[in-house]
Each structure stands twice: as structure tokens, then as C-alpha cells.
């Protein structure tokens, strides 16, 4: 039986995908330690910081108040806690049993993660999250690299988003967990 041992002692087995092994603290810990763009940035910028920026943009710019959508955007990269952050160009190329990595493994994990936290998102809401994520991706490229990428000509970035070094990984984790707890508490009222 193959599994990964998580920071908080869970044995996560991809074959069984027991939702009891999914822990929000593991997600926060792992994503705060994974650097975006496979670490090829001017400074460390975590997947968790990215998730907070996508969340802030969706809530502030689009005034989204639906709790499930807010939880969904906050957790939109949570599968990377278990699969790691595979750079976009490679996600389309990697295959497992004739399914691309971009859809298959992440889709299964998202279903389990969303089930664990009782999150329901419509296809339209998921498409909006992916749209905002893509625009933030371009903003990140503009600010985290010292050169111009051809990728960004089709998508306009968010000019208001300023990517900066965070205070600490601990601050990012605490902010993520604070928002998550706040949203879960609202959902369960």
C-alpha cells in the first residue's frame, strides 16, 4: 500500500482516498511550503499565498458572497497538498491511464476535498474561479519573473494585484486558516 505521510500524521493513500485523512491543517502547511512556478521566481511565493490572492480578488472584485464559492476558491489548489504543484504546461502533457493530469487526479481529489468540507459549487462558479485564477497567473508572471512571457497576450492581468514577499509562512497559514474557519462557521450556522 502506497501512501504519503502528512505533516500532522495522516497517511494519505491515493488509491483509497479516505476523506478522514484530509486535514485542513495539512493543506495549509503543505501549500505554504510549495513555491509557485516550481520555485523559479524572484522570491519565494507559495501556492497558499496565491490561493489567498485568488480568494481576495474573487470576493473583492466580483463581490461574491456565496460561502461555498468562497470556500471553493480558497481551496482551489488544495489537491496540490497531495499531488504537488505541477507547472501548467506539463499538466496537459502528463498522463495516467490515458487521462491528463490536468483533469483526472485533481478532479478526483477536489471531489473528495469538497465532500470532506461539504462544499457544493456549480460548473459556472468553478469556471469563474478558473478565470480569476488565470488572470492572477498572468499578474504573477509579470511580477515574479524578470522577463516578458508570450503567454500573457491573450489574458489581461489584474493591475491592482501587487505580489510581495509575505511576512512569513506562518502568517500565511494563520490567515488561510482564519478565513477557512470563518467561512466554515458561517456555513454551519
Amino acid at each position: 500500500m502506497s501512501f504519503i505521510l502528512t505533516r500532522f500524521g495522516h497517511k494519505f493513500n491515493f488509491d483509497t482516498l479516505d476523506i478522514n485523512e484530509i486535514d485542513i491543517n495539512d493543506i495549509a502547511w503543505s501549500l505554504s511550503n510549495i513555491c509557485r512556478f516550481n520555485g523559479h521566481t524572484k522570491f519565494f511565493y507559495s501556492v497558499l499565498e496565491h490561493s489567498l490572492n485568488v480568494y481576495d480578488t474573487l470576493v473583492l472584485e466580483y463581490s461574491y458572497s456565496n460561502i461555498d464559492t468562497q470556500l471553493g476558491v480558497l481551496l482551489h489548489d488544495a489537491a496540490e497538498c497531495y499531488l504537488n504543484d505541477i507547472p501548467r504546461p506539463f499538466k496537459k502533457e502528463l498522463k495516467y491511464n490515458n487521462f491528463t493530469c490536468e483533469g483526472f487526479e485533481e478532479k478526483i481529489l477536489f471531489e473528495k476535498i469538497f465532500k470532506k468540507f461539504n462544499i457544493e459549487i456549480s460548473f459556472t462558479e468553478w469556471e469563474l474561479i478558473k478565470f480569476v485564477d488565470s488572470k492572477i497567473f498572468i499578474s504573477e508572471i509579470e511580477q515574479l519573473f524578470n522577463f516578458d512571457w508570450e503567454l500573457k497576450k491573450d489574458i489581461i492581468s489584474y493591475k491592482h494585484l501587487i505580489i510581495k514577499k509575505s511576512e512569513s509562512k506562518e502568517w500565511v497559514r494563520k490567515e488561510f486558516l482564519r478565513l477557512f474557519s470563518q467561512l466554515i462557521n458561517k456555513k454551519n450556522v
Side-chain angles (χ1 to χ4, degrees), residues 53-93:
N53 281 326
V54 177
Y55 171 85
D56 286 344
T57 300
L58 185 81
V59 172
L60 297 174
E61 185 158 321
Y62 292 90
S63 302
Y64 247 81
S65 60
N66 179 291
I67 300 298
D68 279 343
T69 305
Q70 289 183 27
L71 283 164
V73 75
L74 200 58
L75 294 171
H76 81 277
D77 281 334
E80 294 174 11
C81 165
Y82 306 103
L83 290 176
N84 215 326
D85 184 21
I86 300 169
R88 264 188 200 198
F90 300 127
K91 278 185 183 180
K92 293 178 181 168
E93 301 299 322

Side-chain angles (χ1 to χ4, degrees), residues 137-170:
F137 172 79
I138 301 304
S139 295
E140 292 167 344
I141 288 172
E142 291 173 342
Q143 297 176 51
L144 294 171
F145 293 90
N146 290 323
F147 53 88
D148 196 23
W149 284 34
E150 290 183 23
L151 285 172
K152 66 182 186 179
K153 58 185 158 189
D154 294 340
I155 304 172
I156 298 169
S157 66
Y158 289 109
K159 298 298 181 194
H160 69 275
L161 179 65
I162 306 297
I163 307 296
K164 60 182 188 277
K165 292 181 187 178
S166 68
E167 297 295 318
S168 69
K169 291 179 185 179
E170 183 179 343

